[in-house]
Amino acid sequence: MKRFEVENTVIMPALAMRGLVMMEKMSLHFDVGRKKSMLALQQAMAGDKQIFLTAQKDVLVDDPKEKDLYAVGVVAVIKQMLKGQEGVVHVMVEGLYRAKMVELLEESPALVAEVKEIPVSKRRTVAVEEMEAMMRVIKSLFESYSLLVPKMSKEIILEALGQDTAEGLFESVVYNIMLPFEDRQLLLEANSSYKRLKLLSEVLQRESQVLALERNIYEQVKEQMDKNQRDYFLREQLRVISNELGETDDAREDIETLMDQISAIEHISDDDREKLYKEADRLAKCPPQSQEANVIRTYLETCLELPWDNVTKDTLDLKRAQRILNQDHYGLDKVKERILEILAVRKLSPEMKGQIICLVGPPGVGKTSIGRSIARTMGREYVRLSLGGVRDESDIRGHRKTYVGAMPGRIINALKQAKVRNPLILLDEIDKMGADFKGDPSAAMLEVLDSEQNSTFRDHYIELPFDLSEVLFITTANDLSTIPAPLLDRMEVIELSSYTREEKFQIAKKYLVPKQVKKHGLTAKDISFGQEGVYTLIDRYTREAGVRKLERAVASVCRKTAKKKLSDGFKKVTVNAKALEEMLGPKKYAVTQAAQEDRVGAVTGLAWTSVGGETLEIEVGVYEGTGKIQITGNLGTVMQESAKIAVSYVRGIAKEYGIPADFYKTMDIHIHAPEGAVPKDGPSAGVTMTTALVSALSGIPVRHDVAMTGEISLRGRVMQIGGLKEKSIAAFRAGIHTVVIPQENKPDIAEFDETIQKGLHFVPVRTIREVLDVALTQPEKPQETLPDLVMLGAEPEAVPVISC
């Protein structure tokens, strides 16, 4: 395209530059990629190679119009133009003179503008001294600026400082430093040399301040940067690179999330919150894949998972609670009453805390299931912890987090599982904990179960105090003797005794049978448990304090019924004694019955076992001899001592019952408790041995419908014993009518089942003489012959220990 001159203006191709400002007398290399810009270059090359270069106001505009371009630009000559890769053209130009765009004549296909040269002002507007001062200011500012710019060439600095003209100084400085294109445009538009230098001084001063501030910040960062900060800086760079690659795993966001969660906790002290913040800061400084980072992250996540603020509201409707307890369990009146008392007190005094209850009783009586019912009654979350076999203190308190594989203890894990800070935690089998070289877990439980201390319970792993005072702890045990005294002192003990025959029947009919029938896919049309069948299961196929074996027996009947239904296609099975013998085989246990006649030297005693009460026969044989005393029946030390006390006491009352005064010299005495394979011990057979000994020596029969229990002293006083309810149930089951008990045990009768109270006649006694008055039939006419030793009734099931 040829250049046209019209009234001091020139029409020529124009090129819009993005982010660049061309100065006169300046050589510049740049790349051209837009199509209309390439066409403008081609038109210029076809003519005199001159082109008007002006800057865009907005570098993001791809197709600029006249309003998008600065009016003042530079007319330049194209020195070189090369084609590059991907359609890019490399151009080298040299500025000729400044020009102003009068009008943009064409916008497509290429820019064509009418431009007019801007002459350089020759008029001197300032004094020589002022110009000299301005040049010195520029040189000083440029020198300061060059010290702040890294890798500034010394030749450029020397060249600028050696200039003695305003134009030369301006060109040496502006052409060799990096300035924003907006500042360059202002410098280009300035008409006089002085104005240009003044603008340049402002630009240099501002750029110097920015560079100084930037260097100051950099120096501060550099001074504060240690190894961890350096690693963090590199990680940030790696994060940015990963983001660009689409492989981001923003650990910083996770840390910020942890910080937000820590700040959101309400029920925590400021010191504890600060400790968590410090741990989060440590995590931010650690490499994400390091072992320490994993330990800290796990610790923080565990702490934040604890229910610091979550709490459930107790349901305090006593009528509803009583209805739920009665639906879930038959009997257990004492336990139900205690639970209703807790609810009543909590309703009247919501701030009262710290109830810790220990349910004690033989296996299978419902200790564990009553805990679940209590939780449902109160509307609390339920968590069960089995403590049987726990021998390590860290199971309760956790491990220090510095150990490999450290974790919190069972109490903290239970709270995490419950997700509230006031659940019901059932500590099952607390009497089965033991101590070894790893510590005593029962000692660790002292703080957990102390309502005065557990408000600041510290787990070794968490290391922060957690309030356990709102937790309702229920513990269960079979034997109180194995629980350490300090731990037992912290709990309110409620004893659950053995079920009576009638209670087992009701439990089976209302709970066990419907549960197992449904569980085995049967209906009432398939199987029916009659009264005879249930009683037969209780009496002849099970012998226990609870109902676990009874439930297994019911389940066995249901399994056999299900098999029979699929194989034989029967209509319905009625469970009675005959059907049970066909399904379960011969009866396993004989029903122990009391003797049917009065006997000499044989007395029915009562004993307690871990599966309930039993009748215990004591036999005494007297023979001519030299005063030897023989004790058999696998008796323990305490029971042997009771036998010796009985012999000594009988020597003191021998004349009253027609017993020879020297019997201990002329007669051999043999005391025996049948079932020698079963260990027996305890003091409560003292009255039984004494009665049998008096009967054998005097020949006076003992009433067959009388059973007795009680410890004796050397002076004949009858003392208190334990397990009276279980022993009374055994007497009732054996058909005994009268039970002789110590006077001190009389209050226990009020807690017995109504069936037991009506079915037995209890005779409280203070001395052995009162026992003999009740048990012996003819004290005034002693017999002279020794009795035959006869064992009556079927033998009871062998159990680990019989306690008399």
Side-chain angles (χ1 to χ4, degrees), residues 648-715:
S648 298
Y649 179 76
V650 171
R651 288 177 62 183
I653 63 171
K655 291 183 180 180
E656 299 178 24
Y657 293 91
I659 300 172
D662 59 348
F663 73 91
Y664 62 92
K665 296 180 182 179
T666 60
M667 295 181 182
D668 292 342
I669 299 174
H670 188 168
I671 302 175
H672 177 66
E675 297 186 58
V678 181
K680 310 171 190 69
D681 202 3
S684 61
V687 295
T688 311
M689 291 182 176
T690 304
T691 303
L693 191 58
V694 171
S695 174
L697 290 170
S698 65
I700 303 174
V702 180
R703 288 172 53 185
H704 65 278
D705 61 345
V706 173
M708 59 189 66
T709 181
E711 180 183 356
I712 65 166
S713 69
L714 193 59
R715 297 184 178 276

Side-chain angles (χ1 to χ4, degrees), residues 301-342:
E301 290 175 349
T302 303
C303 291
L304 294 174
E305 285 175 2
L306 290 177
W308 298 97
D309 302 324
N310 298 337
V311 64
T312 56
K313 186 177 180 180
D314 289 341
T315 303
L316 303 177
D317 186 347
L318 299 186
K319 292 183 179 179
R320 174 181 176 276
Q322 188 167 18
R323 184 173 64 253
I324 292 175
L325 291 173
N326 290 334
Q327 288 174 354
D328 292 349
H329 292 84
Y330 180 83
L332 303 179
D333 295 332
K334 190 175 180 181
V335 180
K336 294 176 181 177
E337 183 67 22
R338 182 66 183 89
I339 301 308
L340 295 177
E341 290 172 2
I342 292 176

Side-chain angles (χ1 to χ4, degrees), residues 533-577:
V534 176
Y535 277 123
T536 303
L537 280 175
I538 296 170
D539 297 334
R540 308 306 296 273
Y541 288 93
T542 62
R543 179 161 294 176
E544 57 179 340
V547 292
R548 283 206 183 107
K549 290 183 180 178
L550 178 59
E551 184 172 10
R552 285 196 291 268
V554 173
S556 179
V557 172
C558 291
R559 287 196 303 272
K560 295 182 183 300
T561 302
K563 178 184 175 183
K564 191 174 182 181
K565 175 181 179 180
L566 295 179
S567 59
D568 300 341
F570 69 98
K571 292 184 178 180
K572 186 175 183 179
V573 170
T574 300
V575 179
N576 51 30

